Amino acid sequence: MLSAPLAPPAMHIPDGFLSVFVAVTLWIVTIVIVAIALHRVSADLGERQVPMMGVLAAAIFAGQMLNFPVAGGTSGHLLGAALATILMGPWAAIIIMTCVLGIQGLIFQDGGLLAMGANIFNMGIVGVIVTHFVYRSVRALAGGKPWGIFVGGFLSAWLSVIIAALVTALELALSGTSPANIAVPAMGGIHILIGLGEGLITVGALAFLYFVRPDLLNVGEAKPAGASVWIAGLVVALAIALASPLASSFPDGLEWVAEQQGFLHIAQSAPYQIIPDYALPGIANKELATILAGIVGVLLVFGAAFGIAYARRKDRAPQAASRTLN
Amino acid sequence: MHIHFLDPYHAGRSPIHQLDPRVKLVLAVAFILTASLLPFGAWPSYILLLALILSIELLTEMGIAYFLKRAFLALPFMLAALPLIFTVQGTPLATFTLGAWTFTISVEGVERVASIAFKSWVSVQMAIVLASTTSFPQLLAAMRALRIPKLLVAIFGLMWRYIFVLADEALRLLRARAARSGARRDAPYKTGGTLAWRARVTGGMAGSLLVRSFERGDRIYAAMAARGYDGETRTLPLPALQTWHWLVLGAGLIIYILIWLVGALIV
């Protein structure tokens, strides 16, 4: 029950799974895009931005608790990126998802802190761009007929989950923490199914809104999509289309990593060259170093425990004294 | 039923609780960065990181068990790394055949998977320490001090105020659905409609949650505007960092660098 309200960690990358290079690069990309989004939404909503975005982010967070039984104890969940994009437009959705993923990582450890940039990028940026691109295209095809809302809603939600998962798998492969030839098809396959749940719930929500508040479904309508979003969508789609089969067809997906490792090795040997005497002749041997580290570690933990016990005793001493006085 | 139990913050007066939130946030992120920077198989450094985080957990006076239990949260993600024991080339450890397939487990592969698990384990513990010893308003103040855009911090703050309200609302929706969904336990009766129908019901719940939130957002804005809100959130800045704060920060960073050097130079 305790874990039930939290979203499934299927796509939230924890810390330790991304190489620093991948994590920091994605943080930088994410910061730039979120800054643009903040600027755009400010221009649109003005001072209403804070309450509106805040409440909707809380709603998407809470909406992820809504689930329905599928089969064999598994359940379908709402992730919400697609719904937020369809209702609020891409820029607002990026901010909403940034807040949702930020809270999940910072407070609930659903996704890491260093990996947060990547998580926001995958689910909050790629997911939103894919949704926007697909939904707008289908609605344009439908030419204003209501089926465009539902077909567009389903396809965009489904694809956004699949593509976000593929991007996640590629990042893991690039970091050398998951073999590309297994991770990409596995993540893709699982999320083809998970995405169906997302698509179905999104259509359900759109159907509800279509009858109750049809005005909400036309929010994004008035303004034509900016060319930048379309281009970004195309670039993302192309990059993934090209990268996925490429990554999967590696005979050993880790050739990539081997290269990376080589690169890392060069980077690590640099301190030797700057301070050649720094190799600590006594501790240059790994077993000895491990034992030493173990001893230092035990001393550290003991020290902390002792410190606490001591501080507590000091706290209690005056209390005990006053008790004896009474 | 209220959802406040979700908030992991535990009030307390331990040294970790009382540490300035800016210093704590920077040191927590730097700890995770250190763990990520270490090469695979740098066990001496891993042990030191573990000892460090265990010491910090002791200092919170909340009991190590609490942290260790929560730290299993990231465990399911290990599935993504597990195939590495077969795909990393190296000294073979064991070979077995399954039908037409032959799998070879390599020593290097096992070491890499264990390294990833370990790094992830200590990192998530640090994140738990941060979240359980720092109240959300303190975290917001720290974010503001670290130059995260004011607007984003304000949205985070408002989101936090309503997250529990809306989570309660979502639980009410779930309870209402459970209340009107009778089901027979004995086998042959299938209940609950088709998959698409179930998804549609859930979608309707999500839709109504969103409609209520839109309306709530409007009401909140009106209430804020009535009280003089002009788009600017004004908060008292945190007091300037004192010398000993800088000392704690510097000492922490130096320890991280030393631990990293042990890992990078020896392994």
Side-chain angles (χ1 to χ4, degrees), chain A:
Chain A
M1 182 62 211
L2 241 176
S3 65
L6 303 173
M11 231 195 284
H12 295 64
I13 307 173
D15 280 321
F17 279 82
L18 289 181
S19 70
V20 173
F21 175 76
V22 172
V24 170
T25 308
L26 289 174
W27 254 121
I28 293 170
V29 173
T30 298
I31 288 170
V32 170
I33 294 179
V34 170
I36 298 172
L38 272 175
H39 188 77
R40 292 290 294 258
V41 177
S42 275
D44 272 3
L45 286 182
E47 57 183 55
R48 293 164 59 95
Q49 183 187 16
V50 171
M52 248 334 182
M53 295 292 103
V55 169
L56 287 175
I60 295 290
F61 180 93
Q64 295 188 344
M65 291 159 61
L66 302 176
N67 59 358
F68 65 100
V70 174
T74 58
S75 57
H77 269 268
L78 181 73
L79 296 171
L83 206 49
T85 313
I86 292 168
L87 294 181
M88 299 296 295
W91 297 111
I94 286 175
I95 295 190
I96 289 171
M97 292 312 290
T98 300
C99 289
V100 170
L101 293 161
I103 294 268
Q104 283 174 339
L106 198 58
I107 305 296
F108 301 108
Q109 290 81 47
D110 210 355
L113 297 183
L114 194 62
M116 193 187 286
N119 284 325
I120 294 175
F121 179 79
N122 300 342
M123 286 173 272
I125 295 175
V126 172
V128 164
I129 291 175
V130 170
T131 303
H132 183 72
F133 192 65
V134 174
Y135 181 70
R136 287 287 136 207
S137 307
V138 175
R139 286 213 60 181
L141 266 178
K145 294 204 181 66
W147 66 263
I149 297 176
F150 303 113
V151 175
F154 178 79
L155 281 180
S156 62
W158 188 39
L159 285 173
S160 74
V161 169
I162 297 170
I163 291 182
L166 288 178
V167 174
T168 307
L170 283 176
E171 288 160 11
L172 292 176
L174 260 177
S175 299
T177 54
S178 194
N181 53 350
I182 296 174
V184 172
M187 280 290 267
I190 293 168
H191 285 87
I192 283 175
L193 294 177
I194 292 181
L196 282 177
E198 173 80 356
L200 287 172
I201 301 186
T202 304
V203 172
L206 291 175
F208 176 85
L209 293 171
Y210 182 74
F211 290 115
V212 179
R213 288 281 302 270
D215 55 311
L216 290 179
L217 293 178
N218 296 319
V219 168
E221 207 86 344
K223 291 155 279 169
S228 55
V229 177
W230 284 79
I231 293 167
L234 261 181
V235 170
V236 168
L238 276 177
I240 292 162
L242 288 176
S244 301
L246 197 70
S248 307
S249 66
F250 270 110
D252 170 16
L254 288 151
E255 272 176 11
W256 237 357
V257 177
E259 269 177 32
Q260 262 210 323
Q261 285 295 93
F263 168 74
L264 262 177
H265 200 73
I266 293 163
Q268 276 160 25
S269 61
Y272 285 114
Q273 287 155 8
I274 300 164
I275 0 174
D277 290 336
Y278 208 83
L280 303 177
I283 321 183
N285 138 347
K286 191 177 165 186
E287 284 69 32
L288 188 61
T290 309
I291 294 168
L292 271 181
I295 294 171
V296 172
V298 170
L299 286 179
L300 197 65
V301 177
F302 257 127
F306 183 76
I308 288 171
Y310 186 73
R312 284 227 174 120
R313 218 186 49 185
K314 254 194 357 198
D315 272 358
R316 274 189 205 133
Q319 285 169 14
S322 62
R323 229 174 279 139
T324 45
L325 272 178
N326 293 333

Side-chain angles (χ1 to χ4, degrees), chain B residues 52-250:
Chain B
L52 194 61
I53 189 69
L54 288 178
S55 305
I56 292 169
E57 286 165 9
L58 272 174
L59 287 176
T60 62
E61 299 178 13
M62 289 165 56
I64 286 187
Y66 168 80
F67 296 98
L68 295 186
K69 231 188 293 168
R70 275 190 80 104
F72 281 110
L73 241 135
L75 197 66
F77 211 83
M78 277 312 294
L79 268 181
L82 215 55
L84 285 174
I85 60 173
F86 302 115
T87 58
V88 175
Q89 307 280 316
T91 328
L93 186 70
T95 306
F96 61 90
T97 44
L98 202 77
W101 302 73
T102 310
F103 294 97
T104 308
I105 299 176
S106 71
V107 177
E108 282 79 358
V110 172
E111 183 170 66
R112 182 174 303 180
V113 171
S115 299
I116 295 167
F118 203 93
K119 286 175 171 201
S120 163
W121 188 50
V122 292
S123 299
V124 81
Q125 288 188 59
M126 182 50 105
I128 296 168
V129 168
L130 177 69
S132 54
T133 63
T134 321
S135 70
F136 199 75
Q138 278 185 317
L139 275 177
L140 289 180
M143 285 193 229
R144 219 173 287 122
L146 296 175
R147 301 283 179 279
I148 291 178
K150 245 167 140 180
L151 209 54
L152 196 61
V153 178
I155 297 174
F156 264 123
L158 205 112
M159 178 189 177
W160 186 249
R161 288 181 183 212
Y162 287 94
I163 221 170
F164 299 104
V165 176
L166 293 179
D168 275 346
E169 201 145 296
L171 279 188
R172 271 204 299 279
L173 285 165
L174 286 169
R175 202 157 57 236
R177 183 183 62 180
R180 56 179 195 265
S181 309
R184 287 185 67 162
R185 290 263 167 94
D186 44 345
Y189 299 98
K190 198 175 166 296
T191 45
T194 62
L195 193 67
W197 180 81
R198 287 197 293 255
R200 219 207 119 154
V201 169
T202 313
M205 290 155 68
S208 77
L209 186 68
L210 276 173
V211 168
R212 289 180 199 172
S213 306
F214 268 112
E215 287 163 0
R216 195 186 286 272
D218 277 335
R219 286 199 303 275
I220 293 168
Y221 170 66
M224 285 165 78
R227 287 168 176 80
Y229 176 69
D230 60 356
E232 186 81 14
T233 31
R234 295 172 183 81
T235 46
L236 219 53
L238 287 171
L241 286 177
Q242 289 160 0
T243 319
W244 73 271
H245 288 133
W246 287 107
L247 283 178
V248 171
L249 185 65

